């Protein structure tokens, strides 16, 4: 069950319409998870600095069970997420940061229980 959060200082008007759906589909493809399990949040217009600069930038946070736990996995995921974000947001690689967080099934609540029991 991947969770993806995109924080950016780009104004809402510069974030392409429908990005949340395309990021959801891209996340499913990149992480090899069903699209109906992916949750995406996009927060534009934030006061933020990337690499010490307030120029347009973005931070992507990717949390998931079982697929973001090693450097080798995340190296491949990073490449594909960077390609997607650079195209969609018209940002250079130096203006994007990605953070990966592995989750355990007991850390995600759903349907009145946790994923461990679903």
């Amino acid at each position: 069950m991947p969770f993806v959060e995109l924080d950016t200082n780009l104004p809402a008007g510069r974030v392409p319409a429908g990005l949340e759906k395309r990021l959801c589909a891209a996340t499913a493809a990149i992480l090899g998870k069903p699209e109906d399990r992916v949750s995406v949040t996009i927060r534009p217009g934030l006061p933020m600095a990337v690499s010490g600069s307030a120029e347009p930038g973005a931070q992507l946070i990717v949390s998931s069970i079982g697929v973001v736990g090693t450097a080798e996995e995340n190296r491949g995921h990073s490449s594909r997420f960077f390609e997607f974000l650079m195209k969609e947001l018209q940002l250079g690689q130096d203006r994007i940061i990605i953070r990966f967080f592995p989750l355990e099934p007991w850390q995600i609540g759903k349907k009145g229980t946790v994923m461990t029991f679903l």
Side-chain angles (χ1 to χ4, degrees):
M1 180 160 229
F3 299 90
V4 176
E5 302 171 52
L6 177 62
D7 295 334
T8 181
N9 57 1
L10 290 171
R14 274 209 45 210
V15 174
L19 178 61
E20 67 282 355
K21 292 290 289 169
R22 291 189 302 280
L23 181 53
C24 186
T27 298
I30 292 167
L31 300 182
K33 298 280 189 171
E35 194 170 337
D36 65 354
R37 294 264 178 122
V38 177
S39 294
V40 171
T41 303
I42 299 177
R43 291 182 287 265
L46 296 175
M48 61 186 286
V50 174
S51 302
S53 168
E55 291 297 313
Q59 174 180 253
L60 187 72
I61 301 168
V62 181
S63 307
S64 188
I65 298 170
V67 294
V68 295
T70 70
E72 290 78 18
E73 287 173 325
N74 293 342
R75 183 170 149 183
H77 301 330
S78 183
S79 174
R80 294 177 70 191
F81 276 118
F82 265 94
E83 182 179 322
F84 175 85
L85 292 172
M86 287 171 31
K87 178 182 173 192
E88 288 283 344
L89 300 177
Q90 299 297 297
L91 295 173
Q93 278 189 339
D94 62 329
R95 303 306 306 147
I96 301 169
I97 300 288
I98 302 175
R99 297 191 296 157
F100 295 97
F101 293 97
L103 296 173
E104 295 296 328
W106 55 266
Q107 293 175 304
I108 301 171
K110 187 171 180 177
K111 297 182 179 179
T113 185
V114 293
M115 293 301 292
T116 305
F117 303 108
L118 293 176

